[in-house]
Each structure stands twice: as C-alpha cells, then as structure tokens.
Amino acid sequence: MDPENAILVSLLIHVPAVVTWIAFAAVEAAVLVIPELANGHRARVMRALRWPTLFLILVIMVTGVWQTIDNPFQTVTSWETLEHLRETTTYGFALFVKHIFVVATFALSILIRFPLAGRLLQRAEADGAEATIGFIPLAVWLNVAACLATIVATTRMTVSLH
C-alpha cells in the first residue's frame, strides 16, 4: 500500500474512533444531568463503556502514532525529530498540546468507567437511592473539557495546513 493510501486508511479508522470516544464522554455528561436517573443506573451506563474504552484507546493510539510519524511536515523517526517538529511548526506545537489532552481524557475515562463507576454501583446496590455520587461529576466534566481541548488543538493543527 502506498503511503498516501495508508494514511487515508488510518484516518478512516481514526476519525470514527475519536468521534465515538467523544460521544462516550457526552453520554456520561448526559447521564449526570438527567434528574430522574438513579445513581445505580448512572453507574451501569458508565461501566458499560469500559471495555469499548480499552478497545478505542488501542485503535486511537495505533492510528494516532501512525499519523504522527507520517505527518505533513517531516517523518518522525525519533524523539528528536518529534521535538524538532514541535519547536519549528505551529502544527507540531498544536500536536504536542493535543497529545497532553488526549492523555488526560484517556486517564479520566479509565478512572470514571472502572474504579469510580464500580464503587458507585457497589454503593447503589448496598445503599439504594442513598448512594452518593462522589467525585464522578468532577471527573466527567474534566473529561468533557479535555475532549473539547483536544478538538481545539486538532482544529489548530488543521488550520496550520492551509
């Protein structure tokens, strides 16, 4: 497969995976603001996203690394060439910032969907309607913010290409 087709295939996989990722964060935010929903149901929705989350991280990482290596400015072959890209182009700096927010949303999503939702579900099953939601709202809104910041950085990368 020639390089142009390879990057197109990568984008055709990467973009829907990222859109799905952002949709998961939006679902968690929506689940938080529905007043009639019991906390146990909120936890079940969040927990249902945990295995697809791990799959999406794998897909996003593989295709994202591929696109970082084969970017429009220079082929990244080492940390030094990646650093050079960051220091010499707006695209590279925006890519660097984007990666910070991608790591943040990966970490927050794992935190929400595994331990936090799991504990909430246990409390809801034990205490019923009295189960407290804890730090989940803070983590969910930080995750939404990280997703939005990733979109902004990606937009800046795209604008720098024109």
Side-chain angles (χ1 to χ4, degrees):
M1 181 180 307
D2 68 78
E4 280 189 30
N5 285 340
I7 201 72
L8 177 61
V9 169
S10 174
L11 285 167
L12 289 172
I13 296 167
H14 187 80
V15 172
V18 170
V19 169
T20 303
W21 184 271
I22 293 167
F24 284 3
V27 164
E28 288 172 335
V31 163
L32 280 181
V33 299
I34 299 172
E36 296 83 19
L37 201 57
N39 286 341
H41 292 298
R42 294 179 214 278
R44 282 183 196 89
V45 170
M46 292 175 190
R47 295 269 298 171
L49 302 176
R50 63 194 160 143
W51 301 117
T53 294
L54 295 180
F55 174 73
L56 287 174
I57 287 173
L58 176 66
V59 169
I60 292 168
M61 289 288 295
V62 169
T63 56
V65 167
W66 188 352
Q67 292 165 33
T68 297
I69 290 169
D70 191 20
N71 69 79
F73 294 95
Q74 70 182 48
T75 302
V76 173
T77 57
S78 66
W79 286 109
E80 289 77 25
T81 56
L82 186 60
E83 186 174 331
H84 182 262
L85 180 68
R86 176 179 55 92
E87 292 173 352
T88 59
T89 65
T90 304
Y91 176 93
F93 183 75
L95 178 68
F96 172 74
V97 171
K98 181 187 84 165
H99 287 156
I100 292 169
F101 291 114
V102 167
V103 169
T105 188
F106 283 177
L108 286 163
S109 295
I110 289 169
L111 176 69
I112 293 162
R113 296 168 193 164
F114 284 85
L116 292 181
R119 282 191 219 128
L120 176 59
L121 186 57
Q122 287 174 342
R123 285 193 304 263
E125 288 172 350
D127 303 336
E130 302 301 317
T132 58
I133 201 159
F135 289 104
I136 290 177
L138 175 63
V140 165
W141 293 116
L142 285 173
N143 195 22
V144 168
C147 287
L148 291 175
T150 301
I151 293 169
V152 169
T154 303
T155 302
R156 183 63 187 113
M157 288 168 55
T158 305
V159 168
S160 74
L161 296 174
H162 299 291

